[in-house]
Structure formats: C-alpha cells, structure tokens
Amino acid sequence: MAGTLYVVGTPIGNLSDFSPRAAQTLQDVDFIAAEDTRVTQKLLNHFQIKKPMVSYYQHNLRERGEVILSRIEAGENCAVVTDAGMPCISDPGEDLVFLCAERGISTVVIPGPSAAISALAISGLPTSRFSFEGFLSTNRKNRMEHLRQIVEDQHTLIFYEAPHKLVYTLQDMLEVLGDRRIALCRELTKLHEEVIRTTFSGALERYREKSPRGEYVLIVEGAPESETAPLSLAEAVEQVKALRASGLPVSEAARQVAKETGYKKGELYRLALE
C-alpha cells in the first residue's frame, strides 16, 4: 500500500509559529524532503526531531522527485518542507504534488505561515481580491513583459523580491504600472519586522539613501477602475445601428461592437434588425 505525502508549513522567522501538528507530522513520517537540509536540520534540532532527509530543490526536482515518489509508492510516508513558509507556493514542492496527483498518491496539507498572506493582511491595501505573482524575472525584458501583462489588473498584486534587485524592480514597476501605492514588508515575524506603506516613487527615494536589507514581500495596489461606465445592451445595439447606417454590413457591425462590449454578436445582430 502506498504511503502519503505531507505538505508541511514551517515558520517564516519565528519558531514559535511552528504548530504542534506540524512538529508531530515531521516526527511521524519516514523521511523529509527539504529544500535545504542544513536549514531544516536547525528546525529539527530545535524541536528535538531526528529524521532522515533528502535534498529536494529547483535543480534536482524531477530526478529526485522520482526517487521520492518511488519510496512513497513502496509504502513510506514523506513530508515536504521549504526553508520558510508553505511549500509548493513559488517552490519546487509544486512539482512533487503534481506528480502525486498524476499517480493517485494521497497528499495531506499541514498548514503553516505564509509570507505572502501575512504581508497582505497587514499591507493596508484591499485584500478581497489579489494575485500572487511570485518573483519577477532577473531578465529585464522578461520582467517588463510580465508587468505589461498585469498592468490593467484591478486586484492587489503580491510579489517576492531580493534586496539586491529591489530598486530595479521598483523602477520598472513605476515605469509600467504608474505611481501606485505599495507596502514593502520585510523580516516578517522576526524582531525587526517592518512594513513601509508608501508609493513606488516614495520607495525609490527611500532606497536611494538607504540600502534594502532582507527579503521583501511587495504588496502593490491594483489598477484603478475604468472611469468609463460599460455600455448597456440598448446602447450597444444603437452603436451597431450607427455603424450600419454608415455603410458597414450589419453582421460586421455586430461583430465589432461585440468585441468591444462583450455582448454576443448574434444577439446584437438580431436586435439591430428588429
């Protein structure tokens, strides 16, 4: 009988945030798949857990994933952890869960802290709708393309960023997205936890004088709502009729207006002929 993969959340800074259930799970499984075994060993030592580990990270995920899956299929239970926070979110564990789902292997989640959600909760920006964008590319062309794809998204945006790339990222965000509100969250749950609520331009001014330190979660305001109210169906039909009067075939007029408004071409066509 196959074993189970346990997806176990670990602290993002404060070891007191490690849940009793998570500690018990690591104690009970047969082995642990860890992003960096040296980091996880410190966690295990703190909670007096002795358990064999295998390294599982971005550059060996598919080869090592097959080894891990073989052991689970043979009946062993495995816990996958990341260095900090919930595994499988912008993390190699995603591929391991995918392989388990593909092969019908049981997976169980042991929830824990998440830097992205923790930062969002204290950002002071809207939280009802948000998009996790992870790390932007180190390649500027790809980074700019990513930002252009989300420039019109109205929900709050969440990014991770390293200190040595922060200023370049803020400059590109200002250029593509415009000067929006942003919360820069660092050292979450640690002694020097800091949340800076400002704008892109304000953040750039700050970090021209003070070098960024620590890993950042960036919570970015979404695009403003369009000032143009959507057309009603009746107004859309009038547009079709106006285009028809100017000499455009009614079918083509209905197609153009449907594309611009989201209404169905057939419905616009029928109403314009009535």
Side-chain angles (χ1 to χ4, degrees), residues 90-273:
S90 192
D91 172 84
E94 174 187 11
D95 195 65
L96 193 57
V97 173
F98 171 78
L99 291 174
C100 285
E102 199 172 50
R103 300 189 190 184
I105 292 174
S106 173
T107 54
V108 175
V109 65
I110 315 296
S114 164
I117 298 302
S118 299
L120 177 66
I122 58 174
S123 67
L125 291 170
T127 62
S128 57
R129 293 184 64 209
F130 57 89
S131 173
F132 176 68
E133 300 294 329
F135 286 97
L136 289 168
S137 174
T138 54
N139 178 287
R140 187 166 190 261
K141 179 181 177 182
N142 294 339
R143 187 165 67 243
M144 296 293 275
E145 179 59 29
H146 185 155
L147 292 172
R148 290 190 188 101
Q149 288 175 1
I150 58 176
V151 67
E152 295 182 0
D153 289 0
Q154 294 181 1
H155 39 258
T156 301
L157 305 169
I158 305 175
F159 300 88
Y160 287 158
E161 194 51 277
H164 65 280
K165 286 172 50 193
L166 180 64
V167 170
Y168 302 109
T169 293
L170 291 171
Q171 289 172 340
D172 290 342
M173 286 179 167
L174 176 60
E175 180 179 336
V176 177
L177 304 180
D179 200 8
R180 300 185 188 180
R181 290 185 295 165
I182 180 175
L184 301 97
C185 307
R186 57 182 291 273
E187 299 293 293
L188 292 175
T189 77
K190 301 177 185 176
L191 181 61
H192 301 292
E193 179 177 301
E194 182 178 41
V195 181
I196 302 160
R197 301 180 182 91
T198 180
T199 58
F200 291 143
S201 57
L204 283 167
E205 185 175 349
R206 176 188 180 91
Y207 290 116
R208 286 191 185 104
E209 301 173 359
K210 181 180 179 181
S211 297
R213 297 182 64 182
E215 299 295 320
Y216 284 79
V217 183
L218 309 179
I219 311 296
V220 176
E221 180 180 31
E225 291 187 18
S226 173
E227 295 181 1
T228 305
L231 288 179
S232 67
L233 178 58
E235 290 171 326
V237 172
E238 289 304 314
Q239 279 200 358
V240 175
K241 290 179 178 178
L243 289 172
R244 181 189 183 190
S246 68
L248 203 65
V250 65
S251 178
E252 176 61 20
R255 187 193 67 79
Q256 287 188 18
V257 176
K259 184 177 180 181
E260 294 171 2
T261 64
Y263 291 113
K264 292 182 178 179
K265 173 188 170 182
E267 184 177 28
L268 293 174
Y269 179 88
R270 177 178 59 78
L271 292 173
L273 291 177

